Amino acid sequence: MAEALIAGGLAFLLPPGAQLVEPQRLRPAPLAGAGLLGIVVIGGQALPVMTPQPGLPGGEAWVMIDGPGGRLVMAGEALVEEAPPGALPLLAPRLSARPVPAAEAATGAGWAVPARAGRARLVAMAAEIGGLRLVLPFAALERVVPMPALRPAPGAGSAALGYAIAAGAPVMVLDPAWAAEAPVGEAPPPGLLVLFRHAGRRLGLPCHRIEPARPGEATLVARLDAALAELAMAPLGQVMAPPVPEPVRALLVCAAGGQAFALPVEEVQAVIPPMTPSPTPEGRLSAFRGVAAHRGDVLPVLDAGERLGLASVLGAPGAEAPLLRLAGVRPVALAVSVVTGLRRIPERLIAAVAGEGLVSAIAEFQDAPLPICRAAILGAAS
C-alpha cells in the first residue's frame, strides 16, 4: 500500500484505512469551496473529490479516506510507497458552500455541494431570486449554467417564461413567481439557470444565486406534482446512454536531461523519493552512478539522462534525484529529473514504433510528442 500522495510537488501522508480507487467521470462543482474538483459516485454513494490543499492540481492518483465530514476522495499526481522526509499530514478539510455570483458560475457548469458534504448529506439546494427561495432536491439537479436567451413557450400558460437551449438540450424555463405562488418583487435580471428534472420533464429555474437548503425547508416537489398538467408542454428529459469507455494506456511520465518520456506503468515497480545514490568502489559497477537501498535490496542506479543520450541527471557531486525501480529479473533503479505522474492516455493518441529499440511508441501528450520507452532497455547497463 502506498504511504504518501504527491500533489503539486508536495508529499502528503496517507491516513490509516486509505483505499486506492480508480479515477472516474466527475460531475464538476464550480459552485463549491476551493479545492473541490467535483462529485463522483462510488458504490452508490456521492463523494466529493478534492485536492489536499486549495490551489493544487488534481491528477490520476485517487485515494478514498474518511474525513471529519464523512468519506471523500483525495486526488493527486502520483502515489509513492515510501513517504519522503518532511511529508505533510493529509488533512481532509470540511467542505463549505457559499452563494456564488453569476460571474463565477459562468466559468463552468456543475453541481453545488452543501456544507459538511459526506455520507448521504447531499439533500437539497435553494435557488434565490429577489426575495424568494426555491428549494429543489439535490437528486433532481442536473447542473447550473449562465442564463440563456429565452423564446416564447406557446400553450405553456403562466407556468413558463419560455423555452431555452441549455447544456445542449431544450428546456422549459419556469416562472419563479408561478413556482413559489408568490411575487418575486423587484430584482435585477437573473444571471443563472438551475437545470433539473421532474416527472420525466426537463425544467429550468432562473435565479441570482444558489446555496445549500436550510434544515426543514420544503422543496418544490409538492407544487410541481400538483401542477403537472401545466407542465405538459415541458420537453421530456432524454435518457443519456453511458459513454463507451475508451481504451487507454497507463503511463508513468517523467523527464530527464530536459526530455519528457514515459514508461508503461507495469514496467515500474516503485517510485523512490529523491535521494543521493551511495558511491561504489572504484572499478566496480562502473556503468552505474552508485547504489541505493530500497525495501531490503541494494539497487544499482543508472542515469536516465545518460541512457537517453542527453545531459546527466546525477552529473553534479552529491546530486539527488527521484528513482524509478524498474521491473525485471535484475533489480535496478533509474534516476530521473522529475516524475510528472501517472497519466492514462487514449490508445488512439499512441502510435507504435517498429522494431525492438529503446522507444516502443510515440504518444500525443499536451500537444507534443512523448516517447514511450522500454524499461528493459533503459535499465540494461552498457
Side-chain angles (χ1 to χ4, degrees):
M1 174 61 188
E3 289 187 357
L5 175 69
I6 306 298
L10 302 175
F12 297 88
L13 293 170
L14 295 178
Q19 303 177 44
L20 303 184
V21 295
E22 283 293 321
Q24 302 180 29
R25 182 178 67 88
L26 281 172
R27 290 172 175 169
L31 302 182
L36 180 63
L37 299 176
I39 302 296
V40 70
V41 178
I42 298 178
Q45 183 179 0
L47 303 178
V49 181
M50 307 192 69
T51 57
Q53 290 181 0
L56 294 182
E60 298 295 319
W62 284 20
V63 288
M64 184 165 58
I65 66 172
D66 288 318
R71 181 163 293 178
L72 53 88
V73 175
M74 285 289 183
E77 300 152 13
L79 295 164
V80 293
E81 292 187 358
E82 295 183 12
L88 304 172
L90 183 62
L91 301 177
R94 292 182 180 272
L95 296 184
S96 60
R98 56 182 175 81
V100 177
E104 293 184 37
T107 60
W111 295 61
V113 180
R116 299 184 304 280
R119 302 176 191 267
R121 291 180 187 250
L122 306 179
V123 179
M125 301 299 296
E128 294 191 356
I129 181 169
L132 299 180
R133 283 174 61 86
L134 306 168
V135 181
L136 293 164
F138 184 85
L141 297 182
E142 182 180 317
R143 64 186 66 188
V144 181
V145 298
M147 188 68 191
L150 292 177
R151 295 292 182 270
S158 61
L161 294 176
Y163 290 128
I165 300 297
V171 60
M172 174 189 280
V173 178
L174 298 180
D175 185 338
W178 174 90
E181 298 183 284
V184 173
E186 291 190 14
L192 301 177
L193 183 66
V194 179
L195 303 177
F196 68 100
R197 300 190 181 209
H198 181 77
R201 295 162 173 83
R202 192 167 192 257
L203 304 166
L205 193 61
C207 65
H208 295 113
R209 65 179 185 174
I210 185 168
E211 64 178 16
R214 298 164 187 159
E217 279 191 299
T219 69
L220 288 176
V221 170
R223 165 64 171 152
L224 298 175
D225 283 342
L228 284 178
E230 296 182 68
L231 301 177
M233 302 300 295
L236 297 177
Q238 297 178 359
V239 177
M240 304 299 291
V244 178
E246 184 177 29
V248 297
R249 190 181 305 181
L251 301 173
L252 186 68
V253 181
C254 311
Q259 168 69 52
F261 70 99
L263 289 169
V265 69
E266 63 272 13
E267 297 182 15
V268 180
Q269 287 188 339
V271 177
I272 305 172
M275 63 181 303
T276 302
S278 301
T280 57
E282 190 70 26
R284 298 187 62 189
L285 299 175
S286 57
F288 297 93
R289 280 290 187 170
V291 295
H294 180 247
R295 306 185 74 174
D297 294 326
V298 177
L299 308 178
V301 177
L302 286 165
D303 189 308
E306 295 176 352
R307 300 297 296 156
L308 295 171
L310 303 169
S312 173
V313 172
L314 298 171
E320 66 173 24
L323 305 180
L324 307 181
R325 179 167 180 166
L326 304 181
V329 177
R330 181 187 62 170
V332 64
L334 186 70
V336 297
S337 301
V338 64
V339 178
T340 303
L342 179 65
R343 297 292 184 267
R344 287 175 170 81
I345 297 180
E347 291 280 2
R348 60 182 171 80
L349 299 180
I350 300 175
V353 172
E356 298 297 325
L358 173 63
V359 177
S360 63
I362 302 293
E364 179 186 332
F365 178 66
Q366 296 179 345
D367 297 324
L370 177 71
I372 302 174
C373 298
R374 291 185 170 91
I377 296 180
L378 271 178
S382 308

